[in-house]
Amino acid sequence: MHGTTGQANATKYIFVTGGVSSSLGKGIISASLAKLLQARGMKVTIQKLDPYINIDPGTLNPYEHGECFVTDDGAETDLDLGHYERFLDVRTSQANNITTGRIYQSVIDKERRGEYLGRTVQVIPHITDEIKRCVQILGEGDRYDFVITEIGGTVGDIESLPYIEAVRQMRWERPQDTLVVHLTLVPYLSAAGELKTKPTQHSVKQLLEFGVQPDVLVCRTEHELSKSIRNKLARFCNVNVEAVIQSIDASTIYDVPLLMQEERLDEVVLNKLGVDSTGPMDLGPWMNFLQKHKNPEQRVDIALVGKYVELKDSYKSIAESFTHAGAAVGVQVKLHWIHSEQIHAENAQDILSDMDGILVAPGFGSRGIDGKIEAIRYAREHNTPFFGICLGMQCAVIEFARNVVGLREAHSTEIKDYTPDPVIDLMEEQKGLADMGGTMRLGAYPCALTEGSLAATAYGMDTVEERHRHRYEFNDAYRDRFIEHGMRPTGTHPDSNLVEIVEITGHPWFVGAQFHPEYKSTVETPHPLFKAFIEAALNEKTKGGVTQKSADQDTASA
Ligand code: GLN
């Protein structure tokens, strides 16, 4: 660690709790603080503790919990881990997301193995010890200077009590190495024309009841916090006035690190932990990104076709990938969220003709499949740049089979058990699995790219690693027929030969990926496929858009 004045070289643990209301953005505050520490040359990781009983969010419906983010090691995790990776450009793993289900499972497994030597197993100390173990495991081996642990839920929730108790114990055991940041809301009452501190006071009181004194208050607010409001909060909540940090609504989440820097959140945290805060700070690449993001030269309109579009968190990583890639290409990407159930053969033209590119999203199950297939048909026939991800790629294969290869009843066996042409079929290793949780093909796998393909050109490499989350795959028995008709695999798994990417020859940009490129896009490393897709969309737009699209479609659909 750089310039530690306290206990030498000990990893510091920062806990981020939330009060007053959910959805205040603990994930973004945690990621922003981490970014500032990282910009000072510190090694930082962020962890999310989720108080629900599910082992992981892999089995949760996106309506419940937004997107499920997948790590390299195949963990299905909370979408906040996506923010952590996008902000820090550092990979996370299973150890970065722990749920109550996982904690209890591990304690119960130990109990069954007799490891508690006949003692009664209780929330305190056994569950709290397991929580502390999961936190401190990240600090082992000097891998990180800082471990930032975000505690899901709101202080006072019954289910988060063991976590707050674990924080209390760690504060007691390692006072020099631990710190608590409490995120609250300071609401504005327009009738009174005033910002109100009482909810924050109450929420800090609640934390105090559990024995935890926050060191820093981060206050979400729609209006500037005056000096007197800050003083009042400091006085009632026992924090220094400089540790009352305003977090005012921002136009983009990527502004939050800078807003936190202005408020000196990083400095306050370092000083409290006895770490030298005078060193230089390099936010250069971040500032470059923001500069480009805020000053686009052109705009492209992209349709995002999916079945969860009412809840934008369901496609969080895809939307953020467009932000990163858009900045890199110098364009504003205007996303049009289109519900796949609304697209039919008759209205596809009306809905999609103004789009410069069409992305068909990942998903599970049959709802909205027909609309996805119609959107793909439109993209293929009108030479609109197309990007299909996971289920989106599988739908592209079905569409091509039906309308180009001539297999009218082709389908995926996920959607239809009995089809004469199962062009998408269950993977061999998936057959016979009964458990739903954690049993998909998950995590990073290598993918060998075909020279000269759109994918190889975009990546500028011949082998890449991408993350997966699926049970079904392209049915290899149809490979030759597809190639004959103009759809070719351009990315395959080197050992098993599984098809990971398909492209259509003669189309300006038609790429389907079985993996999820969106999980690997970060602010500082935008994803090559998203960049290439946006470039293709821009290209088509400047060529004159749909009106001048060539007759290439005849080759593709002959
Ligand atoms: N449902 C498909 C499968 O399991 C696609 C999954 C996805 O889009 N993530 O193969």
Side-chain angles (χ1 to χ4, degrees):
M1 176 159 332
H2 299 240
T4 307
T5 52
Q7 247 169 292
N9 287 330
T11 299
K12 306 289 186 189
Y13 296 89
I14 300 172
F15 296 96
V16 180
T17 56
V20 180
S21 158
S22 56
S23 303
L24 293 180
K26 282 196 298 284
I28 301 295
I29 292 296
S30 305
S32 298
L33 173 58
K35 186 75 216 170
L36 294 176
L37 297 175
Q38 186 194 49
R40 290 169 174 275
M42 319 275 184
K43 286 181 276 139
V44 193
T45 190
I46 321 179
Q47 174 187 48
K48 174 94 187 265
L49 302 182
D50 275 311
Y52 52 72
I53 313 283
N54 305 61
I55 295 291
D56 60 42
T59 52
L60 288 174
N61 184 320
Y63 287 125
E64 288 278 317
H65 208 64
E67 167 190 282
C68 170
F69 186 80
V70 178
T71 56
D72 276 343
D73 64 346
E76 297 178 279
T77 70
D78 185 76
L79 59 73
D80 273 341
L81 270 77
H83 290 308
Y84 308 161
E85 290 204 7
R86 290 188 282 272
F87 274 54
L88 298 183
D89 207 16
V90 168
R91 302 288 173 231
T92 56
S93 71
Q94 179 64 73
N96 295 79
N97 192 193
I98 305 292
T99 66
T100 295
R102 198 170 281 279
I103 298 277
Y104 271 81
Q105 189 177 52
S106 149
V107 169
I108 291 168
D109 286 349
K110 281 185 197 162
E111 186 271 336
R112 293 288 82 182
R113 289 196 300 267
E115 288 182 27
Y116 296 111
L117 307 175
R119 284 192 292 272
T120 309
V121 180
Q122 295 179 298
V123 172
I124 303 170
H126 302 103
I127 294 296
T128 46
D129 279 354
E130 182 63 17
I131 294 172
K132 290 192 290 179
R133 192 185 67 79
C134 288
V135 171
Q136 292 176 103
I137 213 164
L138 285 171
E140 279 172 11
D142 279 343
R143 274 185 302 160
Y144 299 107
D145 300 320
F146 291 90
V147 174
I148 300 183
T149 299
E150 175 193 346
I151 298 181
T154 307
V155 169
D157 296 347
I158 290 177
E159 53 185 18
S160 58
L161 280 175
Y163 294 93
I164 304 296
E165 169 59 15
V167 172
R168 186 193 67 78
Q169 292 178 21
M170 271 190 73
R171 286 288 288 128
W172 178 249
E173 289 156 7
R174 309 179 63 160
Q176 317 292 331
D177 300 332
T178 52
L179 177 130
V180 176
V181 175
H182 188 54
L183 175 64
T184 75
L185 175 70
V186 178
Y188 179 75
L189 288 193
S190 48
E194 271 178 29
L195 286 166
K196 290 295 182 190
T197 64
K198 195 72 83 190
T200 300
Q201 293 179 41
H202 280 300
S203 128
V204 170
K205 251 203 192 117
Q206 201 152 26
L207 257 185
L208 286 167
E209 265 173 44
F210 304 135
V212 174
Q213 165 66 55
D215 302 280
V216 179
L217 286 182
V218 176
C219 307
R220 271 298 294 272
T221 173
E222 290 170 14
H223 298 273
E224 296 278 338
L225 296 186
S226 66
K227 192 87 200 135
S228 73
I229 294 266
R230 288 177 194 247
N231 279 328
K232 189 169 174 186
L233 283 166
R235 189 174 326 118
F236 279 106
C237 304
N238 322 322
V239 297
N240 304 335
V241 68
E242 62 274 16
V244 177
I245 306 287
Q246 155 184 300
S247 171
I248 202 153
D249 291 358
S251 60
T252 153
I253 54 170
Y254 299 111
D255 270 338
V256 179
L258 305 183
L259 294 173
M260 290 303 104
Q261 189 191 15
E262 268 170 40
E263 288 282 309
R264 305 179 165 212
L265 172 62
D266 52 327
E267 234 178 281
V268 170
V269 163
L270 290 175
N271 291 341
K272 282 193 182 290
L273 285 169
V275 181
D276 180 15
S277 65
T278 55
M281 172 113 159
D282 179 13
L283 274 172
W286 191 269
M287 303 301 277
N288 269 342
F289 156 78
L290 269 181
Q291 157 70 18
K292 287 201 208 136
H293 172 55
K294 290 184 175 176
N295 302 287
E297 284 150 24
Q298 300 179 73
R299 156 178 161 172
V300 291
D301 289 84
I302 304 284
L304 194 162
V305 180
K307 67 171 172 177
Y308 303 112
V309 289
E310 314 87 305
L311 186 71
K312 301 203 165 43
D313 269 0
S314 310
Y315 303 114
K316 193 85 203 157
S317 295
I318 293 179
E320 298 307 323
S321 301
F322 276 118
T323 304
H324 311 149
V329 177
V331 300
Q332 182 207 347
V333 179
K334 168 97 184 85
L335 283 184
H336 299 259
W337 303 77
I338 301 175
H339 203 298
S340 44
E341 282 180 303
Q342 284 164 3
I343 305 179
H344 315 288
E346 302 73 43
N347 66 11
Q349 169 86 24
D350 293 344
I351 297 180
L352 298 169
S353 63
D354 288 337
M355 299 297 144
D356 304 313
I358 297 171
L359 181 141
V360 174
F364 294 83
S366 60
R367 190 166 66 89
I369 286 284
D370 294 340
K372 289 184 173 177
I373 292 174
E374 273 315 318
I376 294 165
R377 177 198 184 86
Y378 181 90
R380 182 179 54 77
E381 292 183 344
H382 293 81
N383 282 336
T384 308
F386 167 79
F387 195 7
I389 298 182
C390 208
L391 183 62
M393 171 269 202
Q394 298 177 352
C395 288
V397 168
I398 298 167
E399 192 281 326
F400 196 83
R402 290 183 184 175
N403 300 324
V404 182
V405 185
L407 310 170
R408 299 303 305 172
E409 290 180 61
H411 222 318
S412 159
T413 49
E414 177 182 8
I415 318 292
K416 211 169 173 213
D417 287 342
Y418 303 103
T419 158
D421 290 298
V423 288
I424 301 291
D425 202 5
L426 196 60
M427 273 180 279
E428 214 38 59
E429 71 256 30
Q430 291 288 326
K431 293 180 181 160
L433 284 179
D435 267 9
M436 295 302 279
T439 55
M440 280 188 254
R441 181 173 181 237
L442 288 166
Y445 286 88
C447 172
L449 305 173
T450 307
E451 211 185 310
S453 61
L454 292 169
T457 312
Y459 282 104
M461 289 195 261
D462 51 21
T463 306
V464 293
E465 272 216 345
E466 292 286 1
R467 299 181 194 171
H468 295 250
R469 184 173 186 247
H470 62 119
R471 295 184 200 282
Y472 293 81
E473 58 155 349
F474 179 89
N475 183 344
D476 215 38
Y478 291 87
R479 190 188 286 236
D480 292 343
R481 267 188 280 174
F482 272 76
I483 295 175
E484 247 167 64
H485 286 84
M487 178 177 270
R488 54 175 188 147
T490 59
T492 48
H493 181 245
D495 304 329
S496 65
N497 220 19
L498 285 182
V499 172
E500 314 282 34
I501 307 179
V502 293
E503 297 181 14
I504 292 182
T505 333
H507 187 288
W509 208 89
F510 190 107
V511 175
Q514 182 58 77
F515 50 78
H516 291 261
E518 71 274 22
Y519 294 144
K520 282 184 83 170
S521 174
T522 71
V523 163
E524 285 163 37
T525 317
H527 197 284
L529 287 179
F530 277 89
K531 266 166 57 186
F533 176 48
I534 293 171
E535 276 160 358
L538 188 62
N539 218 358
E540 283 308 295
K541 178 187 172 117
T542 42
K543 259 173 44 191
V546 284
T547 49
Q548 278 180 28
K549 277 181 180 160
S550 70
D552 273 2
Q553 67 205 61
D554 297 339
T555 22
S557 57

